[in-house]
Amino acid sequence: MIGAGAVGGTIGGRLHEAGRDVVLVARGAHLQALRTRGLQLDEPGRSRVLRIPAAATPGEVDWSPEDVVVMATKTQASADLLDAVADAAPDVPVVCAQNGVANERMAAARFAHVLGICVIIPCEHLEPGLVVTFSGPVPGVLDIGRYPGGPDELATAIAADLTAAGFSSRADPAIMRWKYGKLLVNLGNAAEAACGPDDPDLRELSAAARAEGRECLAAAGIDVVPAPEEKQRRAGFVVRRAVGPHVRHGGSTWQSLQRGTGSVEAAHLNGEIVALGRRHGVATPVNALLLAVVEEMARAGEAPGGRNAAELIAQATRSPASRT
């Protein structure tokens, strides 16, 4: 498991509890906490500490022919880590449990067998050694499929492991249509991080970003799962619940700003839409502005929630990028 934060910690911890052999690859204070105290995984109704083997790099892992690597980092870290995995285990199948659609492309340039997971888990990682998952009793939905498409026996086997670990998971031969649907959802991550989840105009700003995204994907002829189908897949599985003293603050981009990591994944979310817009003649002023704003905030070490959604909407409307 490359990356043991919110998503990687939840998946890796649950697979470990289900009796699967797991190694977490992490860094910094989080790695130190995993090695000294273990992974504390808090969920609705329970908290436990899991002692799972942890490594600092893919090169420290004792790879075997039966292994699978699950990428669970932010996309901006993928290229270097994929190179490190390729050096250590060039024939390993790679599973991308990450937001966006760029990771599978990166992995396919280096590995023969690539799979994607559409990750729907409300989870958070803000402290070393601690991961909190806010859905129960099912922690989330993890559908998986071969990249770029088609049936795959390994996808079926991994879906069975994830199901045994408590997730709702199924193999899907057209997984990328789900990942593009999730991309549209994640276009609001930058807005939430910039303005905070309580901004009264956040919904309007996020909706504008997603509207641009849908127009760009349609212009590119990309198959995307319809929103009602995506909503139905979540229904009854992803159920937000309280977790002890923990409060869900925000999504992945909000968490990156809060932790002061210095980078965000917006270039591979909003930036994906901006690039498609340029290619197909679709104006994307909202996504371009959100990308610029959150990247500036990350570079400056600015805390999330410091911007105003109404002002960003007005600024995007005035932008030359609003005219193709």
Side-chain angles (χ1 to χ4, degrees), residues 1-9 11-13 21-35 39 52-63 67-74 77 80-82 84-85 88-89 98 125 131:
M1 184 71 61
I2 309 294
V7 170
I11 297 175
D21 292 330
V22 176
V23 176
L24 303 176
V25 178
R27 62 183 179 180
H30 189 46
L31 172 63
Q32 183 178 359
L34 294 176
R35 285 176 164 172
L39 172 67
I52 305 173
T57 68
E60 290 185 7
V61 177
D62 184 16
W63 297 92
D67 286 338
V68 171
V69 62
V70 179
M71 299 292 297
T73 63
K74 299 293 194 300
D80 289 344
L81 287 168
L82 285 167
V85 173
Q98 298 159 291
H125 167 56
V131 168

